[in-house]
Amino acid sequence: MSDLWTMYPHFGELYAGGTLICRFNPDDSRSRGLYVTSNGVEGWDTMPDAKVELTERGQGDGAHDVPESDLIYSARTVTVHYEAIGLSRGELLSIMRKINRLAHRNARLRFSDGGEDTYVDGYLAQMGRSSAWHPTLENDLTLHFVCPRPERLSWTPHRCQLKPTSDGRGGLFYGGARAGLVYPLTYGRQATDSRNVGTLLNNGSSRAYPVFTVYGGVRQRCHPAILRRFLDTVDGFCWRNASGVGLPAGHRDDGRP
């Protein structure tokens, strides 16, 4: 097998609805399954096309400068070149048909390569194959995966949990009628430990958008307008009351457009 990927501990996976659909380069078998060929994966380590409109200078050479806020990118398209191997024609077809389960579904494509374990979300746009027939081998297969959001995200999210001070007090005081901040401002007692401070590092090359999950009766302690203004500044927000079961808060990190 002329598959360079099988020489290293690299693998890929396709998910739909949180369920593993198939795995490229399975570690439980070398004689059956789906394998990335030596043609590799296109569009994974490259930059998508930029969506930048230049305005030519009326006087002078070139175009006007482009601010960083306007440097945005198109959707990412990933093309996987792979082969399927089975011990019989029936098993071969069964292995190949696994990817068909992604039809009409949002999916997630993951690749672990060289210490980087990242994924993209998108959908299966096209599958290609050769017309040549072989009973146990199909070695000219392609998969086109379109990602509306081009960022590659870390498979392992970065998380931290913030807790209030042990005495339950602290923060700004808005007054009994919640009419606004009461001057002079008081920031409460100094925290007895650092549990209410957390740092999340973005190890990627693109902007990160944290998702905040708030537990407890924050609405009873924070002015609605202030809370709404805070939520408008974050990309994702999840509310869990004191009696509810909270899910871990993930966030977009390690983005690589």
Side-chain angles (χ1 to χ4, degrees):
M1 185 187 305
S2 61
D3 184 359
L4 299 180
W5 278 61
T6 60
M7 299 171 59
Y8 304 96
H10 301 169
F11 66 88
E13 293 176 336
L14 277 169
Y15 291 82
T19 301
L20 177 63
I21 301 299
C22 65
R23 182 182 176 104
F24 298 98
N25 300 1
D27 53 9
D28 58 346
S29 174
R30 293 295 182 183
S31 60
R32 63 182 69 176
L34 302 174
Y35 298 88
V36 178
T37 67
S38 58
N39 291 326
V41 180
E42 300 178 46
W44 189 259
D45 289 311
T46 57
M47 295 278 287
D49 294 336
K51 298 192 300 182
V52 178
E53 295 184 2
L54 297 178
T55 302
E56 293 294 327
R57 295 180 183 271
Q59 299 293 331
D61 298 329
H64 291 282
D65 295 337
V66 179
E68 288 189 353
S69 58
D70 291 342
L71 296 177
I72 54 180
Y73 298 88
S74 301
R76 179 188 296 275
T77 299
V78 179
T79 301
V80 181
H81 299 270
Y82 67 102
E83 62 186 7
I85 303 175
L87 298 183
S88 66
R89 184 64 181 177
E91 184 181 51
L92 175 64
L93 293 176
S94 176
I95 292 174
M96 293 172 54
R97 296 289 185 265
K98 290 181 179 181
I99 299 181
N100 290 12
R101 296 166 57 188
L102 298 180
H104 304 289
R105 304 185 69 182
N106 290 320
R108 175 166 293 180
L109 176 62
R110 171 193 181 189
F111 273 108
S112 177
D113 178 19
E116 292 185 356
D117 194 351
T118 55
Y119 73 90
V120 289
D121 289 328
Y123 60 91
L124 178 63
Q126 186 181 9
M127 293 174 58
R129 58 179 295 190
S130 171
S131 59
W133 188 93
H134 192 280
T136 59
L137 172 66
E138 292 275 355
N139 59 3
D140 191 12
L141 303 174
T142 56
L143 177 154
H144 300 277
F145 194 85
V146 176
C147 318
R149 296 289 295 266
E151 299 94 345
R152 282 170 46 202
L153 309 178
S154 171
W155 183 256
T156 303
H158 297 177
R159 296 188 178 100
C160 68
Q161 184 174 13
L162 306 182
K163 298 181 180 180
T165 56
S166 57
D167 57 10
R169 293 186 293 177
L172 298 179
F173 180 61
Y174 291 89
R178 295 183 178 177
L181 290 174
V182 177
Y183 291 88
L185 298 180
T186 173
Y187 290 86
R189 298 181 179 180
Q190 183 177 1
T192 57
D193 55 42
S194 59
R195 289 184 302 165
N196 62 341
V197 177
T199 301
L200 295 176
L201 299 178
N202 177 18
N203 296 323
S205 58
S206 184
R207 293 168 292 188
Y209 303 92
V211 174
F212 293 85
T213 303
V214 178
Y215 300 84
V218 179
R219 283 193 174 94
Q220 286 71 40
R221 300 182 182 181
C222 181
H223 194 282
I226 301 297
L227 180 60
R228 187 163 52 250
R229 188 178 306 169
F230 166 74
L231 298 183
D232 288 341
T233 64
V234 301
D235 183 65
F237 177 78
C238 180
W239 180 270
R240 295 289 185 269
N241 59 34
S243 59
V245 178
L247 299 177
H251 76 284
R252 308 181 65 83
D253 68 309
D254 280 11
R256 293 176 171 83

